[in-house]
Amino acid sequence: MMRKRLLLSKLTALLAKVSACILTATLVVSCTSVEESVAGQSDSPKRSLVDDFDYIVPILDEDHFRICTGLILKHGLVVTAKHCFRDDSKKGNYYLAYSEDNSIDQNDLYIPVASFEYDSSVEGINDLAIVHYDPGYTEGKLALKDIPLNFGPAPETGAALFSVGYPIVKTQNTLRVSSARCQRKQRSGKLLPSPKSPGYDGVLFDTDCPAFWGNSGAPVFSARYDEQGNVELVSLEGVITHTFDLVSNGDLDYRKMKHDAFGPYLTSNYSPLGQSVRLKEIMKAL
């Protein structure tokens, strides 16, 4: 009984620590399935553990607690979500974690963040941030993917999407999980400010991609799928941000929460690269 109380106490503290994140899910049992269909159909959005995509990394706080996901665009340069750094209580250091397999533990490489900047100095224009680190940590160790960045129009409603991130689940390891066969949905709009969210004047696009805590900042790709379900990345469209499934005070609408083998989830929005300011400047200079 004492052990159960101790575990419950730890989980309660963990939940309190991540409560600032907008994309939210309850901590759940460990993932035991390599592949799980959300709706029980092969053509529905589906999450899987993935061994590749090691250029997509979790972002950790100074306690090595994972808070978000980022994509290494160039050695020393990561794109993620602005709201990952909005919590004023977090004044310490941030880290990236690198692993060659689908999980991260204490034996993997932890990379200190040198600095981060919001993509635009104009408040609320987008939910994009840029993280800088010493490129020597990954040069010669990590092969990056040369994926076109879509700074133009967003894909049309119904376009196929793909995302990879590090959702928080009840396991000691940090799992790299893909959300495949999801789509851009018809709804788009702005997120109004609330007590638990800064809001964004920039447009957000809705998807049916499942998301947990920790998925914020994960890349959203346009994708093509073959009959076997293999994915081809077409372009980077933006990063996972908030969900439209909020109530007026900024809490999640738990009535819309769903479950699969990885645990509870909501569908996510993304902030498109087309609204980028600083990232466009950086990539043009490279």
Side-chain angles (χ1 to χ4, degrees), residues 71-190:
L71 167 67
I72 301 178
L73 288 175
K74 302 290 182 183
H75 293 292
L77 180 69
V78 172
V79 62
T80 186
K82 179 190 298 183
H83 76 262
C84 297
F85 307 102
R86 286 292 192 139
D87 186 354
D88 291 337
S89 68
K90 289 183 168 59
K91 296 296 186 182
N93 298 319
Y94 294 95
Y95 298 86
L96 310 173
Y98 164 65
S99 173
E100 294 180 351
D101 59 22
N102 61 25
S103 67
I104 288 176
D105 56 35
Q106 65 273 14
N107 298 317
D108 290 308
L109 177 63
Y110 288 80
I111 304 169
V113 168
S115 65
F116 66 87
E117 56 181 314
Y118 293 165
D119 181 85
S120 172
S121 59
V122 179
E123 182 69 15
I125 194 172
N126 59 38
D127 191 15
L128 299 168
I130 300 158
V131 171
H132 302 273
Y133 70 92
D134 181 348
Y137 280 101
T138 55
E139 284 178 334
K141 306 180 185 70
L142 174 61
L144 302 183
K145 187 83 169 179
D146 187 15
I147 303 169
L149 308 186
N150 181 15
F151 290 123
E156 296 180 354
T157 298
L161 302 176
F162 179 82
S163 184
V164 176
Y166 291 86
I168 296 175
V169 293
K170 188 183 174 183
T171 175
Q172 294 302 311
N173 287 348
T174 301
L175 303 178
R176 185 187 303 145
V177 177
S178 69
S179 293
R181 292 196 177 280
C182 48
Q183 298 179 345
R184 192 197 139 188
K185 307 304 285 184
Q186 185 173 8
R187 187 178 180 186
S188 62
K190 300 175 181 179

Side-chain angles (χ1 to χ4, degrees), residues 3-18:
R3 179 177 176 80
K4 288 183 178 179
R5 290 178 179 174
L6 180 60
L7 288 173
L8 180 61
S9 176
K10 288 182 178 179
L11 283 175
T12 302
L14 189 60
L15 282 169
K17 191 170 187 180
V18 297

Side-chain angles (χ1 to χ4, degrees), residues 221-242:
F221 302 102
S222 282
R224 284 191 286 262
Y225 297 93
D226 63 20
E227 293 181 356
Q228 288 71 44
N230 299 313
V231 62
E232 176 189 355
L233 303 183
V234 177
S235 60
L236 177 64
E237 298 297 327
V239 303
I240 285 183
T241 176
H242 300 74

